[in-house]
Amino acid sequence: MDADIRQLRLRTGITVPCLVQDAGGAGTPLLLLHAWGESRTSFDRLVPLLTGCRIYAPDLRGQGDADKPLSGYSLAEQAEDTAAILDALEAPYAAVVGSSSGGYVAQQLAVTHPDKVAALVLVGSPLTLRGRPAFASEVDALADPLDEAWVRESLAWFPRIHDVPAWYIEDRVRDALNMPAHAWKAILNGLCEATPPTESGTIHSPTLLLWGGQDNLLPRTDQETLAGRIPGAVLKVYPNVAHLVLWECPGRVATEIIGFISPVG
């Protein structure tokens, strides 16, 4: 499979790297949006399983190897960055897969740029992030350079039921340490201060929701409400999986994605 990392200069004023992998597929391309505090490499266990797909996996503003300016982190601005990524790739549309908060950005993109979202797969994605989670006070106290011990302790915010490879955990630690304190704070604030996308508009893209039944962050009632707000949306529950669905079962996620977007492509 041909793959390369492209440096994309976006119309929103920043530069982001993007994995572009062309497996020779002629169908709808896949845009993968990572969670807060991660990077495009959080999809390293998923991408090899998405056979026959054209894949775009960028680092998002403030994270990974993307530019890390002091501003531009509202939910609306994060969605505009995502639209600009597709423009820079000369891709008029894509099926969009969002992991955790990446799915929140994907929802906003589907509301503000419906023509760009051929389908939507939300993997442990919130209905709302209004308010501030219990760990927000820890984020408020962050200063550069980040304390590696704190980063490792923060992984306990989201318990895991299934084993995750040690190398993958170490990659996530590196992702976190690669983010300056201002980006940690600004991204979380941008998510928590935003009007939930499904309250500001309607998502018309075909949508699949994947949710872990042991999620300690997102209640099932919220997932059912989110699915109910998106016409025709399908909610699939993995009973013995927690919040980090992508981390715990990338194989199942890949199968779900391919099966869901194939009719679209």
Side-chain angles (χ1 to χ4, degrees):
M1 290 182 286
D2 295 328
D4 65 284
I5 305 297
R6 299 184 191 175
Q7 297 296 323
L8 306 178
R9 180 64 180 174
L10 306 186
R11 55 176 166 76
T12 52
I14 63 168
T15 298
V16 305
C18 182
L19 169 71
V20 178
Q21 179 170 294
D22 186 354
T28 302
L30 271 175
L31 176 67
L32 308 180
L33 302 182
H34 64 76
W36 168 61
E38 299 184 8
S39 76
R40 68 181 187 276
T41 62
S42 64
F43 295 107
D44 279 356
R45 298 171 69 212
L46 181 71
V47 167
L49 306 175
L50 296 172
T51 54
C53 296
R54 287 179 293 157
I55 296 168
Y56 306 136
D59 286 342
L60 302 180
R61 177 186 296 249
Q63 297 156 100
D65 294 321
D67 285 351
K68 300 172 176 66
L70 295 176
S71 60
Y73 296 101
S74 71
L75 181 61
E77 288 168 318
Q78 292 182 62
E80 283 305 309
D81 279 348
T82 305
I85 287 168
L86 289 174
D87 289 344
L89 290 165
E90 299 183 343
Y93 57 82
V96 183
V97 177
S99 175
S100 191
S101 62
Y104 209 50
V105 177
Q107 291 175 52
Q108 186 65 38
L109 177 68
V111 167
T112 54
H113 294 279
D115 56 315
K116 292 185 178 295
V117 182
L120 198 56
V121 181
L122 305 175
V123 185
S125 176
L127 164 71
T128 177
L129 288 172
R130 271 204 184 110
R132 292 171 62 75
F135 51 76
S137 59
E138 294 185 38
V139 176
D140 288 341
L142 291 178
D144 295 319
L146 264 61
D147 180 0
E148 183 174 335
W150 175 83
V151 168
R152 293 185 181 278
E153 290 168 5
S154 73
L155 297 178
W157 293 345
F158 310 114
R160 300 183 298 276
I161 295 173
H162 298 272
D163 290 336
V164 176
W167 66 263
Y168 187 84
I169 299 297
E170 291 307 307
D171 278 357
R172 306 290 70 75
V173 170
R174 282 190 288 272
D175 282 346
L177 291 173
N178 196 29
M179 283 176 62
H182 78 261
W184 274 94
K185 299 173 188 180
I187 295 168
L188 181 61
N189 288 337
L191 296 168
C192 293
E193 293 169 0
T195 299
T198 55
E199 292 183 19
S200 62
T202 301
I203 295 172
H204 294 287
S205 307
T207 301
L208 172 65
L209 290 78
L210 306 178
W211 176 75
Q214 304 302 314
D215 193 325
N216 67 325
L217 178 67
L218 310 177
R220 179 168 184 149
T221 52
D222 277 11
Q223 293 295 294
E224 292 171 346
T225 298
L226 179 57
R229 289 181 179 176
I230 303 173
V234 175
L235 170 62
K236 290 195 174 183
V237 177
Y238 298 168
N240 296 315
V241 177
H243 176 63
L244 298 171
V245 179
L246 177 67
W247 294 30
E248 292 199 48
C249 48
R252 293 176 69 179
V253 172
T255 298
E256 301 280 12
I257 291 170
I258 291 172
F260 187 69
I261 69 166
S262 292
V264 176

